[in-house]
């Protein structure tokens, strides 16, 4: 790796332990800057302190506009995407990607654009598939693509997605990744390990569209974050959804976000119906003594709202078909002799 090289690491669920283990195995003389994104949202992050306690390479939260120095670990701070531009670190509060800010894809894309073949991307443990599209860009521009072995990850979905959609250079247990990075930095030829077989070539048919007598097919699908119209397109073998304000999702993240928003709206409707039942009951109790019919109508309206609240609550709590989860489970249960992955 040239002196201008850089390493970008992305992690999500289980990432704190994985990152601590990785940096603990790096020597204090490690010269290449390391940029880290962990899905922490807007919550307070103690990750730099944890990494400093784990290993000798100094770690800190990245600051907007600062120069990238060799031998340092820069961590994306809460609620900010970390990117590289004009040989400096930039922090932006851009739209969430895959429901995350900071997200891994913006960092990977930026290091691919800025460093080309001198960029190294590493995907560690995590749910869903943030980082896959960014890793695809690193690989497209000649960089090195590394993923933790899904069988070795506490949460294998992110590494599995990378292995399925990107022609990885290395797919290794976490314990072997530090030595590989050291070898790459020292310009040694690390021996490439066999890649796990992927399922990217499987036939995946779209679910059948069932015509409804009640609802017309919507003109478009809207963004769970802002309600804007989404367009979809394919990047390699990945389907991506993007709205005009900049929120973007892979198909799996879109499915999860849409389902969460749908459940939230339906539970809000249950609350409104329950409140209407209470309001109508209070009106019945405070009705004029001389107008018994009016009181009866309020009582009837209260019972109707309560009845519909119960029905809607039962509907919300039923089992729902989740093809996106079924797909992940199907991939996991193909067997270790075929994919090396587990669910």
């Amino acid at each position: 790796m040239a002196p201008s090289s850089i390493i970008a690491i992305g992690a999500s669920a289980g990432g704190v332990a994985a990152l601590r283990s990785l940096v603990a195995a790096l020597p204090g003389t490690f010269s290449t800057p390391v940029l880290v994104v962990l899905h922490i949202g807007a919550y307070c992050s103690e990750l730099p302190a944890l990494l400093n306690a784990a290993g000798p390479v100094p770690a800190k939260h990245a600051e907007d506009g600062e120069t990238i120095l060799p031998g340092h670990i820069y961590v994306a701070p809460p609620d900010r995407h970390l990117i590289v531009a004009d040989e400096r670190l930039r922090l932006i509060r851009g739209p969430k990607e895959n429901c995350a800010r900071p997200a891994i894809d913006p960092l990977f894309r930026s290091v691919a654009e800025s460093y080309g073949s001198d960029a190294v991307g590493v995907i560690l443990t995590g749910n869903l598939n943030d980082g896959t599209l960014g890793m695809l860009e690193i690989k497209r521009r000649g960089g090195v693509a590394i993923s933790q072995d899904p069988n070795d990850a506490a949460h294998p979905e992110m590494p599995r997605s990378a292995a399925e959609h990107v022609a990885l250079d290395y797919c290794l247990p976490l314990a072997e990744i530090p030595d590989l990075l050291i070898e790459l930095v020292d310009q040694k030829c690390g021996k490439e390990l066999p890649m796990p077989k992927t399922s990217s070539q499987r036939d995946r048919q779209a679910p059948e569209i069932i015509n409804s007598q009640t609802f017309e097919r919507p003109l478009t699908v809207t963004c769970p974050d802002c309600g804007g119209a989404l367009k979809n397109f394919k990047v390699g073998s990945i389907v991506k959804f993007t709205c005009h304000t900049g929120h973007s999702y892979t198909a799996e993240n879109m499915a999860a976000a849409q389902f969460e928003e749908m459940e939230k709206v339906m539970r809000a409707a249950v609350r409104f119906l329950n409140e209407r039942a209470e309001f109508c009951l209070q009106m019945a109790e405070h009705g004029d003594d001389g107008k018994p019919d009016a009181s009866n109508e309020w009582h009837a309206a209260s019972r109707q709202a309560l009845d519909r609240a119960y029905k809607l609550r039962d509907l919300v709590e039923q089992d729902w078909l989740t093809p996106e989860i079924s797909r992940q489970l199907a991939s996991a249960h193909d067997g270790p002799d075929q994919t090396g992955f587990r669910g």
Side-chain angles (χ1 to χ4, degrees):
M1 295 175 63
S4 60
S5 61
I6 199 164
I7 297 171
I9 302 177
S12 185
V16 172
L19 287 165
R20 293 188 66 191
S21 176
L22 190 155
V23 303
L26 296 178
T29 56
F30 193 78
S31 59
T32 298
V34 178
L35 311 185
V36 175
V37 168
L38 176 70
H39 286 168
I40 55 172
Y43 296 99
C44 179
S45 170
E46 300 295 332
L47 184 58
L50 294 172
L51 298 184
N52 281 322
V57 182
K60 66 185 293 289
H61 275 132
E63 298 178 23
D64 188 44
E66 73 175 307
T67 302
I68 304 172
L69 299 177
H72 284 71
I73 299 173
Y74 298 94
V75 177
D79 204 32
R80 293 293 186 274
H81 292 310
L82 171 61
I83 65 170
V84 177
D86 299 324
E87 300 182 354
R88 293 181 179 272
L89 298 176
R90 297 303 309 273
L91 302 178
I92 57 175
R93 199 176 183 276
K96 293 181 179 180
E97 295 200 24
N98 295 316
C99 308
R101 187 175 57 230
I104 302 165
D105 278 335
L107 173 63
F108 280 16
R109 287 197 306 266
S110 70
V111 299
E113 181 178 355
S114 297
Y115 290 84
S117 60
D118 290 322
V120 176
V122 182
I123 290 182
L124 302 179
T125 173
N127 292 319
L128 296 175
N129 55 12
D130 186 28
T132 297
L133 287 174
M135 185 72 89
L136 200 62
E137 187 65 14
I138 289 176
K139 185 67 178 179
R140 187 180 74 84
R141 292 177 179 260
V144 179
I146 303 170
S147 171
Q148 183 178 3
D149 184 343
N151 282 332
D152 180 62
H155 299 266
E157 288 83 1
M158 270 179 24
R160 181 187 297 130
S161 176
E164 286 186 353
H165 298 288
V166 183
L168 295 173
D169 296 292
Y170 302 92
C171 186
L172 305 173
L174 177 64
E176 297 180 22
I177 293 178
D179 286 341
L180 172 62
L181 296 178
I182 294 169
E183 289 179 357
L184 290 172
V185 170
D186 291 340
Q187 298 182 338
K188 295 180 180 178
C189 295
K191 182 180 179 181
E192 184 173 347
L193 298 184
M195 295 297 104
K197 296 180 181 179
T198 72
S199 57
S200 59
Q201 301 301 318
R202 292 179 188 157
D203 293 329
R204 297 189 180 101
Q205 296 181 350
E208 178 184 0
I209 301 297
I210 301 175
N211 293 324
S212 172
Q213 298 295 323
T214 305
F215 298 103
E216 293 291 336
R217 185 170 177 176
L219 296 177
T220 186
V221 178
T222 56
C223 175
D225 271 300
C226 69
L230 288 167
K231 60 180 180 180
N232 72 79
F233 53 93
K234 293 192 75 172
V235 181
S237 57
I238 299 176
V239 179
K240 185 176 181 179
F241 293 80
T242 304
C243 74
H244 64 88
T245 61
H247 297 112
S248 65
Y249 312 83
T250 58
E252 291 81 359
N253 280 287
M254 174 62 189
Q258 186 189 57
F259 190 89
E260 182 180 354
E261 183 67 14
M262 179 190 72
E263 184 178 30
K264 181 171 67 175
V265 170
M266 294 178 73
R267 290 194 180 278
V270 172
R271 175 172 62 84
F272 281 121
L273 284 168
N274 198 37
E275 290 178 1
R276 173 170 173 77
E278 176 60 24
F279 167 77
C280 291
L281 183 60
Q282 291 181 12
M283 291 300 296
E285 292 172 347
H286 291 87
D288 295 335
D289 293 338
K291 298 180 179 179
D293 291 342
S295 179
N296 291 337
E297 289 178 355
W298 284 116
H299 274 294
S302 176
R303 289 193 297 270
Q304 181 192 62
L306 195 59
D307 177 66
R308 293 181 178 178
Y310 280 123
K311 289 179 179 177
L312 182 55
R313 187 182 67 181
D314 289 342
L315 178 63
V316 176
E317 294 177 355
Q318 288 178 8
D319 289 333
W320 291 79
L321 295 176
T322 52
E324 66 280 4
I325 297 177
S326 299
R327 176 185 172 279
Q328 293 175 7
L329 292 176
S331 176
H333 291 311
D334 279 343
D337 56 327
Q338 297 181 17
T339 65
F341 302 145
R342 65 176 180 86

